[in-house]
Amino acid sequence: MELSQDLLARLLAESLRARDFAHVPYSGYRVGVALLDEQGRIHIGANMENASYPQGWCAEPSALTAMRMAGGQRAVAALVSGPGPEIITPCGGCRQKLREFAVPEELVILAADPGGIRQRWTLAELLPHSFGPSHLNF
Ligand code: THU
């Protein structure tokens, strides 16, 4: 999908806005995600930590849940924003969660921080040779 400068700016603004909703009393590391669905709509999510540390979850599943609850079927872009300065990349588990609702060669993943967009990949680049829903059509 063609991501215009205007659309990228909107995704960045929404992803950074999502960071404000992060619940991060333990790490202090705010993550926001803005997902673009196949209908061109944007859904946001943030990480939610927990006093029982392993029960916390990342920003990506928050955003995927928002997308699904709004009727979105497929993510075509995911803009993930962290605090910087090191470029954020989705953790391994989140790459697999994104895989469930994406075409790996189609989904564009953008990494950002409050200073702007830093890097861009496809999901296929971040999660090569992935295991996906089609494997279960045996
Ligand atoms: N985190 C995310 O939300 N997404 C990622 O892809 C990487 C890590 C969160 C989890 C935890 O709340 C914090 O960042 C520090 O690991």
Side-chain angles (χ1 to χ4, degrees):
M1 132 134 1
E2 184 55 43
L3 298 171
S4 67
Q5 287 305 313
D6 174 64
L7 188 49
L8 289 173
R10 283 171 47 217
L11 284 166
L12 178 61
E14 285 296 284
S15 180
L16 293 175
R17 186 172 75 83
R19 291 186 72 232
D20 293 340
F21 297 105
H23 176 68
V24 291
Y26 310 106
S27 75
Y29 191 87
R30 291 179 179 276
V31 182
V33 171
L35 286 181
L36 183 70
D37 73 16
E38 81 286 357
Q39 301 173 49
R41 301 175 305 168
I42 295 174
H43 312 275
I44 65 172
N47 51 337
M48 299 290 147
E49 297 181 351
N50 192 280
S52 177
Y53 294 174
Q55 299 304 325
W57 66 87
C58 288
E60 291 86 342
S62 295
L64 284 167
T65 301
M67 181 186 84
R68 293 292 297 186
M69 295 307 290
Q73 299 290 311
R74 199 171 85 245
V76 299
L79 197 151
V80 183
S81 60
E86 188 168 350
I87 293 172
I88 188 169
T89 75
C91 77
C94 286
R95 296 176 194 197
Q96 184 66 35
K97 288 186 173 80
L98 289 164
R99 169 69 185 89
E100 187 70 16
F101 303 110
V103 175
E105 295 75 21
E106 177 189 47
L107 175 59
V108 174
I109 297 178
L110 300 134
D113 58 38
I117 294 171
R118 300 298 180 202
Q119 206 156 330
R120 173 182 180 142
W121 312 268
T122 64
L123 179 61
E125 290 173 315
L126 292 184
L127 192 69
H129 310 292
S130 64
F131 184 86
S134 67
H135 283 91
L136 299 182
N137 298 332
F138 58 90

Short mmCIF file of all heavy atoms in Angstrom, two decimals, residues 52-116:
data_model
loop_
_atom_site.label_atom_id
_atom_site.label_comp_id
_atom_site.label_asym_id
_atom_site.label_seq_id
_atom_site.Cartn_x
_atom_site.Cartn_y
_atom_site.Cartn_z
N SER A 52 2.13 -7.98 38.75
CA SER A 52 2.63 -9.34 38.53
C SER A 52 3.30 -9.30 37.16
O SER A 52 2.65 -9.48 36.13
CB SER A 52 1.47 -10.34 38.57
OG SER A 52 1.97 -11.63 38.28
N TYR A 53 4.57 -9.00 37.13
CA TYR A 53 5.27 -8.58 35.91
C TYR A 53 4.93 -9.37 34.64
O TYR A 53 4.68 -8.77 33.60
CB TYR A 53 6.79 -8.59 36.11
CG TYR A 53 7.33 -7.59 37.10
CD1 TYR A 53 8.69 -7.62 37.44
CD2 TYR A 53 6.54 -6.62 37.70
CE1 TYR A 53 9.22 -6.72 38.35
CE2 TYR A 53 7.07 -5.72 38.62
CZ TYR A 53 8.41 -5.77 38.95
OH TYR A 53 8.93 -4.89 39.84
N PRO A 54 4.93 -10.71 34.70
CA PRO A 54 4.69 -11.45 33.43
C PRO A 54 3.30 -11.25 32.87
O PRO A 54 3.05 -11.61 31.72
CB PRO A 54 4.90 -12.93 33.82
CG PRO A 54 5.66 -12.89 35.11
CD PRO A 54 5.23 -11.64 35.81
N GLN A 55 2.39 -10.69 33.63
CA GLN A 55 1.03 -10.51 33.15
C GLN A 55 0.86 -9.25 32.29
O GLN A 55 -0.20 -9.04 31.70
CB GLN A 55 0.03 -10.45 34.33
CG GLN A 55 0.02 -11.71 35.16
CD GLN A 55 -0.28 -12.95 34.34
OE1 GLN A 55 -1.06 -12.90 33.39
NE2 GLN A 55 0.36 -14.04 34.68
N GLY A 56 1.87 -8.41 32.25
CA GLY A 56 1.78 -7.23 31.40
C GLY A 56 1.79 -7.60 29.93
O GLY A 56 2.16 -8.72 29.57
N TRP A 57 1.36 -6.65 29.08
CA TRP A 57 1.41 -6.94 27.64
C TRP A 57 1.90 -5.73 26.86
O TRP A 57 1.89 -4.59 27.35
CB TRP A 57 0.09 -7.47 27.12
CG TRP A 57 -1.10 -6.55 27.13
CD1 TRP A 57 -1.46 -5.66 26.17
CD2 TRP A 57 -2.08 -6.45 28.17
NE1 TRP A 57 -2.61 -5.01 26.52
CE2 TRP A 57 -3.02 -5.48 27.75
CE3 TRP A 57 -2.26 -7.09 29.40
CZ2 TRP A 57 -4.13 -5.12 28.53
CZ3 TRP A 57 -3.36 -6.72 30.18
CH2 TRP A 57 -4.28 -5.77 29.74
N CYS A 58 2.29 -6.02 25.65
CA CYS A 58 2.89 -5.01 24.77
C CYS A 58 1.83 -4.14 24.09
O CYS A 58 0.63 -4.45 24.12
CB CYS A 58 3.72 -5.69 23.69
SG CYS A 58 5.27 -6.42 24.25
N ALA A 59 2.29 -3.09 23.45
CA ALA A 59 1.39 -2.17 22.75
C ALA A 59 0.74 -2.82 21.53
O ALA A 59 -0.40 -2.50 21.18
CB ALA A 59 2.17 -0.93 22.32
N GLU A 60 1.47 -3.74 20.88
CA GLU A 60 0.95 -4.33 19.63
C GLU A 60 -0.35 -5.09 19.85
O GLU A 60 -1.30 -4.89 19.07
CB GLU A 60 2.03 -5.21 18.99
CG GLU A 60 3.23 -4.43 18.43
CD GLU A 60 4.32 -4.12 19.43
OE1 GLU A 60 4.06 -4.18 20.65
OE2 GLU A 60 5.43 -3.82 18.99
N PRO A 61 -0.44 -5.99 20.85
CA PRO A 61 -1.72 -6.68 21.04
C PRO A 61 -2.84 -5.73 21.44
O PRO A 61 -4.01 -5.97 21.09
CB PRO A 61 -1.44 -7.72 22.14
CG PRO A 61 -0.15 -7.32 22.74
CD PRO A 61 0.61 -6.59 21.70
N SER A 62 -2.53 -4.65 22.14
CA SER A 62 -3.57 -3.67 22.45
C SER A 62 -4.15 -3.11 21.15
O SER A 62 -5.37 -3.00 20.99
CB SER A 62 -3.00 -2.51 23.28
OG SER A 62 -2.58 -2.94 24.55
N ALA A 63 -3.26 -2.75 20.23
CA ALA A 63 -3.71 -2.14 18.97
C ALA A 63 -4.43 -3.17 18.09
O ALA A 63 -5.42 -2.84 17.44
CB ALA A 63 -2.52 -1.53 18.23
N LEU A 64 -3.91 -4.39 18.08
CA LEU A 64 -4.58 -5.43 17.28
C LEU A 64 -5.99 -5.69 17.81
O LEU A 64 -6.92 -5.89 17.02
CB LEU A 64 -3.76 -6.73 17.32
CG LEU A 64 -2.51 -6.75 16.44
CD1 LEU A 64 -1.64 -7.94 16.80
CD2 LEU A 64 -2.87 -6.78 14.96
N THR A 65 -6.14 -5.69 19.11
CA THR A 65 -7.47 -5.90 19.68
C THR A 65 -8.40 -4.76 19.29
O THR A 65 -9.55 -4.99 18.90
CB THR A 65 -7.37 -6.02 21.22
OG1 THR A 65 -6.52 -7.12 21.53
CG2 THR A 65 -8.74 -6.25 21.84
N ALA A 66 -7.90 -3.53 19.37
CA ALA A 66 -8.73 -2.38 18.97
C ALA A 66 -9.15 -2.51 17.51
O ALA A 66 -10.31 -2.24 17.15
CB ALA A 66 -7.96 -1.08 19.20
N MET A 67 -8.21 -2.93 16.67
CA MET A 67 -8.52 -3.09 15.24
C MET A 67 -9.61 -4.14 15.03
O MET A 67 -10.58 -3.91 14.30
CB MET A 67 -7.26 -3.51 14.47
CG MET A 67 -7.47 -3.66 12.97
SD MET A 67 -6.04 -4.32 12.11
CE MET A 67 -6.27 -6.08 12.36
N ARG A 68 -9.45 -5.29 15.68
CA ARG A 68 -10.42 -6.35 15.50
C ARG A 68 -11.79 -5.96 16.04
O ARG A 68 -12.82 -6.28 15.45
CB ARG A 68 -9.92 -7.64 16.18
CG ARG A 68 -8.68 -8.24 15.53
CD ARG A 68 -8.94 -8.78 14.14
NE ARG A 68 -9.89 -9.87 14.15
CZ ARG A 68 -10.20 -10.60 13.08
NH1 ARG A 68 -9.62 -10.34 11.91
NH2 ARG A 68 -11.08 -11.56 13.15
N MET A 69 -11.82 -5.28 17.16
CA MET A 69 -13.10 -4.90 17.76
C MET A 69 -13.83 -3.86 16.92
O MET A 69 -15.05 -3.72 17.02
CB MET A 69 -12.89 -4.37 19.19
CG MET A 69 -12.37 -5.41 20.17
SD MET A 69 -13.34 -6.92 20.23
CE MET A 69 -14.83 -6.33 21.00
N ALA A 70 -13.08 -3.15 16.07
CA ALA A 70 -13.71 -2.18 15.17
C ALA A 70 -14.04 -2.82 13.82
O ALA A 70 -14.49 -2.13 12.90
CB ALA A 70 -12.78 -0.98 14.97
N GLY A 71 -13.79 -4.12 13.69
CA GLY A 71 -14.13 -4.81 12.44
C GLY A 71 -13.01 -4.89 11.44
O GLY A 71 -13.22 -5.39 10.33
N GLY A 72 -11.82 -4.40 11.79
CA GLY A 72 -10.68 -4.50 10.88
C GLY A 72 -10.24 -5.95 10.77
O GLY A 72 -10.23 -6.68 11.75
N GLN A 73 -9.87 -6.34 9.53
CA GLN A 73 -9.48 -7.74 9.28
C GLN A 73 -7.98 -7.91 9.21
O GLN A 73 -7.45 -8.94 9.60
CB GLN A 73 -10.07 -8.19 7.94
CG GLN A 73 -11.58 -8.16 7.88
CD GLN A 73 -12.20 -9.23 8.76
OE1 GLN A 73 -11.82 -10.40 8.69
NE2 GLN A 73 -13.13 -8.83 9.61
N ARG A 74 -7.30 -6.88 8.69
CA ARG A 74 -5.88 -7.05 8.32
C ARG A 74 -5.14 -5.74 8.56
O ARG A 74 -5.65 -4.67 8.22
CB ARG A 74 -5.85 -7.40 6.84
CG ARG A 74 -4.59 -8.03 6.35
CD ARG A 74 -4.76 -8.51 4.92
NE ARG A 74 -4.51 -7.45 3.96
CZ ARG A 74 -5.42 -6.93 3.14
NH1 ARG A 74 -6.67 -7.34 3.18
NH2 ARG A 74 -5.08 -5.98 2.30
N ALA A 75 -3.97 -5.85 9.17
CA ALA A 75 -3.12 -4.66 9.34
C ALA A 75 -2.24 -4.50 8.10
O ALA A 75 -1.62 -5.48 7.65
CB ALA A 75 -2.25 -4.80 10.59
N VAL A 76 -2.19 -3.31 7.55
CA VAL A 76 -1.33 -3.07 6.39
C VAL A 76 -0.14 -2.16 6.73
O VAL A 76 0.84 -2.12 6.00
CB VAL A 76 -2.12 -2.51 5.18
CG1 VAL A 76 -3.18 -3.50 4.73
CG2 VAL A 76 -2.75 -1.17 5.49
N ALA A 77 -0.23 -1.44 7.87
CA ALA A 77 0.91 -0.67 8.37
C ALA A 77 0.82 -0.63 9.88
O ALA A 77 -0.28 -0.60 10.45
CB ALA A 77 0.92 0.75 7.80
N ALA A 78 1.97 -0.67 10.53
CA ALA A 78 2.04 -0.58 11.99
C ALA A 78 3.16 0.37 12.34
O ALA A 78 4.33 0.11 12.03
CB ALA A 78 2.30 -1.96 12.60
N LEU A 79 2.80 1.50 12.94
CA LEU A 79 3.83 2.45 13.35
C LEU A 79 4.02 2.32 14.86
O LEU A 79 3.10 2.60 15.64
CB LEU A 79 3.44 3.88 12.96
CG LEU A 79 4.63 4.86 12.99
CD1 LEU A 79 4.43 5.98 12.00
CD2 LEU A 79 4.90 5.40 14.38
N VAL A 80 5.19 1.83 15.25
CA VAL A 80 5.52 1.55 16.65
C VAL A 80 6.42 2.67 17.15
O VAL A 80 7.47 2.94 16.55
CB VAL A 80 6.25 0.19 16.78
CG1 VAL A 80 6.52 -0.14 18.23
CG2 VAL A 80 5.43 -0.92 16.11
N SER A 81 6.02 3.31 18.24
CA SER A 81 6.86 4.40 18.75
C SER A 81 7.29 4.13 20.18
O SER A 81 6.51 3.66 21.01
CB SER A 81 6.15 5.75 18.64
OG SER A 81 4.95 5.74 19.39
N GLY A 82 8.55 4.41 20.43
CA GLY A 82 9.14 4.31 21.77
C GLY A 82 9.77 5.63 22.15
O GLY A 82 9.62 6.63 21.44
N PRO A 83 10.50 5.62 23.25
CA PRO A 83 11.07 6.87 23.73
C PRO A 83 12.34 7.31 22.99
O PRO A 83 12.74 8.47 23.10
CB PRO A 83 11.38 6.57 25.20
CG PRO A 83 11.61 5.09 25.25
CD PRO A 83 10.70 4.51 24.19
N GLY A 84 12.99 6.36 22.24
CA GLY A 84 14.29 6.66 21.69
C GLY A 84 15.34 6.63 22.81
O GLY A 84 14.97 6.44 23.96
N PRO A 85 16.62 6.87 22.60
CA PRO A 85 17.19 7.10 21.26
C PRO A 85 17.39 5.82 20.46
O PRO A 85 17.47 5.87 19.25
CB PRO A 85 18.54 7.77 21.57
CG PRO A 85 18.93 7.21 22.90
CD PRO A 85 17.64 7.00 23.66
N GLU A 86 17.45 4.66 21.14
CA GLU A 86 17.64 3.44 20.35
C GLU A 86 16.37 3.13 19.57
O GLU A 86 15.26 3.26 20.11
CB GLU A 86 17.99 2.26 21.27
CG GLU A 86 18.38 1.02 20.49
CD GLU A 86 19.02 -0.07 21.34
OE1 GLU A 86 19.34 0.17 22.50
OE2 GLU A 86 19.18 -1.19 20.81
N ILE A 87 16.53 2.72 18.33
CA ILE A 87 15.37 2.46 17.48
C ILE A 87 14.61 1.25 18.01
O ILE A 87 15.19 0.18 18.22
CB ILE A 87 15.82 2.22 16.02
CG1 ILE A 87 16.38 3.52 15.44
CG2 ILE A 87 14.67 1.70 15.16
CD1 ILE A 87 17.04 3.37 14.08
N ILE A 88 13.31 1.43 18.22
CA ILE A 88 12.47 0.35 18.73
C ILE A 88 12.17 -0.62 17.59
O ILE A 88 12.01 -0.21 16.43
CB ILE A 88 11.17 0.91 19.35
CG1 ILE A 88 10.40 -0.19 20.07
CG2 ILE A 88 10.30 1.62 18.31
CD1 ILE A 88 9.25 0.35 20.93
N THR A 89 12.11 -1.89 17.93
CA THR A 89 11.58 -2.87 16.97
C THR A 89 10.61 -3.75 17.74
O THR A 89 10.80 -4.00 18.93
CB THR A 89 12.66 -3.76 16.32
OG1 THR A 89 13.10 -4.73 17.26
CG2 THR A 89 13.83 -2.96 15.82
N PRO A 90 9.56 -4.23 17.10
CA PRO A 90 8.60 -5.10 17.79
C PRO A 90 9.30 -6.35 18.32
O PRO A 90 10.14 -6.93 17.63
CB PRO A 90 7.59 -5.47 16.70
CG PRO A 90 7.74 -4.42 15.65
CD PRO A 90 9.17 -3.99 15.70
N CYS A 91 8.94 -6.75 19.54
CA CYS A 91 9.56 -7.95 20.12
C CYS A 91 9.14 -9.17 19.32
O CYS A 91 8.20 -9.13 18.51
CB CYS A 91 9.18 -8.09 21.59
SG CYS A 91 7.51 -8.72 21.88
N GLY A 92 9.81 -10.27 19.56
CA GLY A 92 9.54 -11.48 18.78
C GLY A 92 8.10 -11.95 18.87
O GLY A 92 7.48 -12.31 17.87
N GLY A 93 7.57 -11.94 20.11
CA GLY A 93 6.19 -12.38 20.28
C GLY A 93 5.21 -11.50 19.53
O GLY A 93 4.22 -11.98 18.96
N CYS A 94 5.49 -10.20 19.51
CA CYS A 94 4.58 -9.28 18.81
C CYS A 94 4.68 -9.43 17.30
O CYS A 94 3.69 -9.23 16.59
CB CYS A 94 4.87 -7.84 19.23
SG CYS A 94 4.26 -7.53 20.90
N ARG A 95 5.84 -9.78 16.79
CA ARG A 95 5.95 -10.06 15.35
C ARG A 95 5.00 -11.20 14.99
O ARG A 95 4.32 -11.15 13.96
CB ARG A 95 7.40 -10.42 14.99
CG ARG A 95 8.34 -9.25 15.22
CD ARG A 95 9.79 -9.59 14.96
NE ARG A 95 10.63 -8.52 15.51
CZ ARG A 95 11.90 -8.31 15.22
NH1 ARG A 95 12.51 -9.10 14.37
NH2 ARG A 95 12.56 -7.32 15.77
N GLN A 96 4.97 -12.22 15.83
CA GLN A 96 4.08 -13.35 15.56
C GLN A 96 2.62 -12.93 15.70
O GLN A 96 1.76 -13.35 14.91
CB GLN A 96 4.40 -14.51 16.51
CG GLN A 96 3.58 -15.76 16.25
CD GLN A 96 3.90 -16.40 14.89
OE1 GLN A 96 5.04 -16.37 14.43
NE2 GLN A 96 2.90 -16.96 14.24
N LYS A 97 2.31 -12.09 16.68
CA LYS A 97 0.91 -11.63 16.84
C LYS A 97 0.47 -10.82 15.63
O LYS A 97 -0.65 -10.94 15.15
CB LYS A 97 0.77 -10.82 18.13
CG LYS A 97 0.86 -11.66 19.40
CD LYS A 97 0.57 -10.81 20.63
CE LYS A 97 0.48 -11.67 21.89
NZ LYS A 97 1.81 -12.02 22.44
N LEU A 98 1.35 -9.96 15.13
CA LEU A 98 1.03 -9.18 13.93
C LEU A 98 0.81 -10.11 12.74
O LEU A 98 -0.07 -9.87 11.90
CB LEU A 98 2.16 -8.18 13.62
CG LEU A 98 2.28 -7.00 14.60
CD1 LEU A 98 3.64 -6.31 14.44
CD2 LEU A 98 1.15 -5.99 14.39
N ARG A 99 1.62 -11.17 12.68
CA ARG A 99 1.54 -12.13 11.57
C ARG A 99 0.14 -12.70 11.41
O ARG A 99 -0.32 -12.99 10.29
CB ARG A 99 2.56 -13.25 11.80
CG ARG A 99 2.44 -14.46 10.90
CD ARG A 99 2.82 -14.11 9.48
NE ARG A 99 2.60 -15.22 8.57
CZ ARG A 99 1.46 -15.45 7.93
NH1 ARG A 99 0.43 -14.65 8.10
NH2 ARG A 99 1.37 -16.46 7.09
N GLU A 100 -0.55 -12.88 12.52
CA GLU A 100 -1.88 -13.49 12.49
C GLU A 100 -2.86 -12.67 11.65
O GLU A 100 -3.77 -13.22 11.03
CB GLU A 100 -2.41 -13.64 13.92
CG GLU A 100 -3.70 -14.42 14.03
CD GLU A 100 -3.53 -15.90 13.73
OE1 GLU A 100 -2.38 -16.40 13.73
OE2 GLU A 100 -4.56 -16.57 13.49
N PHE A 101 -2.66 -11.37 11.63
CA PHE A 101 -3.62 -10.46 10.98
C PHE A 101 -2.94 -9.63 9.90
O PHE A 101 -3.23 -8.43 9.74
CB PHE A 101 -4.28 -9.55 12.03
CG PHE A 101 -4.98 -10.33 13.11
CD1 PHE A 101 -4.48 -10.36 14.40
CD2 PHE A 101 -6.12 -11.06 12.83
CE1 PHE A 101 -5.11 -11.09 15.40
CE2 PHE A 101 -6.77 -11.80 13.81
CZ PHE A 101 -6.27 -11.82 15.11
N ALA A 102 -2.01 -10.24 9.17
CA ALA A 102 -1.28 -9.51 8.15
C ALA A 102 -0.77 -10.45 7.07
O ALA A 102 -0.64 -11.65 7.28
CB ALA A 102 -0.08 -8.79 8.79
N VAL A 103 -0.49 -9.88 5.92
CA VAL A 103 0.26 -10.57 4.88
C VAL A 103 1.70 -10.10 5.05
O VAL A 103 1.96 -8.89 4.97
CB VAL A 103 -0.29 -10.20 3.47
CG1 VAL A 103 0.57 -10.82 2.38
CG2 VAL A 103 -1.75 -10.62 3.34
N PRO A 104 2.63 -11.00 5.34
CA PRO A 104 3.98 -10.58 5.74
C PRO A 104 4.68 -9.64 4.76
O PRO A 104 5.37 -8.71 5.16
CB PRO A 104 4.74 -11.90 5.88
CG PRO A 104 3.68 -12.91 6.22
CD PRO A 104 2.45 -12.47 5.47
N GLU A 105 4.47 -9.87 3.45
CA GLU A 105 5.14 -9.01 2.46
C GLU A 105 4.42 -7.67 2.32
O GLU A 105 4.96 -6.72 1.75
CB GLU A 105 5.18 -9.69 1.09
CG GLU A 105 6.02 -10.96 1.02
CD GLU A 105 5.35 -12.16 1.68
OE1 GLU A 105 4.10 -12.15 1.85
OE2 GLU A 105 6.08 -13.10 2.05
N GLU A 106 3.19 -7.61 2.81
CA GLU A 106 2.39 -6.38 2.67
C GLU A 106 2.55 -5.45 3.86
O GLU A 106 2.61 -4.22 3.70
CB GLU A 106 0.90 -6.74 2.51
CG GLU A 106 -0.02 -5.53 2.44
CD GLU A 106 -1.49 -5.91 2.51
OE1 GLU A 106 -1.89 -6.71 3.38
OE2 GLU A 106 -2.25 -5.36 1.71
N LEU A 107 2.58 -6.04 5.06
CA LEU A 107 2.57 -5.20 6.27
C LEU A 107 3.88 -4.41 6.41
O LEU A 107 4.97 -4.98 6.51
CB LEU A 107 2.37 -6.07 7.52
CG LEU A 107 2.46 -5.32 8.86
CD1 LEU A 107 1.43 -4.21 8.97
CD2 LEU A 107 2.33 -6.30 10.03
N VAL A 108 3.75 -3.11 6.41
CA VAL A 108 4.89 -2.21 6.62
C VAL A 108 4.97 -1.87 8.10
O VAL A 108 3.97 -1.44 8.69
CB VAL A 108 4.73 -0.93 5.78
CG1 VAL A 108 5.84 0.07 6.09
CG2 VAL A 108 4.71 -1.26 4.30
N ILE A 109 6.13 -2.09 8.69
CA ILE A 109 6.34 -1.75 10.10
C ILE A 109 7.30 -0.57 10.16
O ILE A 109 8.40 -0.61 9.58
CB ILE A 109 6.90 -2.96 10.87
CG1 ILE A 109 5.87 -4.10 10.84
CG2 ILE A 109 7.25 -2.57 12.31
CD1 ILE A 109 6.32 -5.36 11.53
N LEU A 110 6.85 0.47 10.84
CA LEU A 110 7.64 1.69 10.94
C LEU A 110 8.03 1.89 12.40
O LEU A 110 7.19 1.72 13.30
CB LEU A 110 6.83 2.89 10.44
CG LEU A 110 6.38 2.75 8.99
CD1 LEU A 110 4.91 3.12 8.85
CD2 LEU A 110 7.24 3.60 8.08
N ALA A 111 9.28 2.23 12.63
CA ALA A 111 9.77 2.49 13.99
C ALA A 111 9.97 3.99 14.15
O ALA A 111 10.51 4.66 13.27
CB ALA A 111 11.09 1.77 14.23
N ALA A 112 9.51 4.49 15.30
CA ALA A 112 9.58 5.93 15.51
C ALA A 112 9.87 6.24 16.97
O ALA A 112 9.82 5.37 17.84
CB ALA A 112 8.25 6.58 15.10
N ASP A 113 10.18 7.50 17.20
CA ASP A 113 10.28 8.06 18.55
C ASP A 113 9.75 9.49 18.46
O ASP A 113 9.30 9.91 17.37
CB ASP A 113 11.73 7.96 19.08
CG ASP A 113 12.73 8.69 18.19
OD1 ASP A 113 12.39 9.78 17.67
OD2 ASP A 113 13.84 8.18 18.01
N PRO A 114 9.75 10.23 19.56
CA PRO A 114 9.13 11.56 19.48
C PRO A 114 9.77 12.48 18.43
O PRO A 114 9.16 13.47 18.00
CB PRO A 114 9.31 12.10 20.90
CG PRO A 114 9.28 10.87 21.76
CD PRO A 114 10.04 9.84 20.97
N GLY A 115 10.96 12.12 17.96
CA GLY A 115 11.60 12.94 16.93
C GLY A 115 11.17 12.61 15.52
O GLY A 115 11.49 13.34 14.58
N GLY A 116 10.44 11.50 15.34
CA GLY A 116 9.98 11.15 14.00
C GLY A 116 10.20 9.69 13.67
O GLY A 116 10.61 8.90 14.52
#
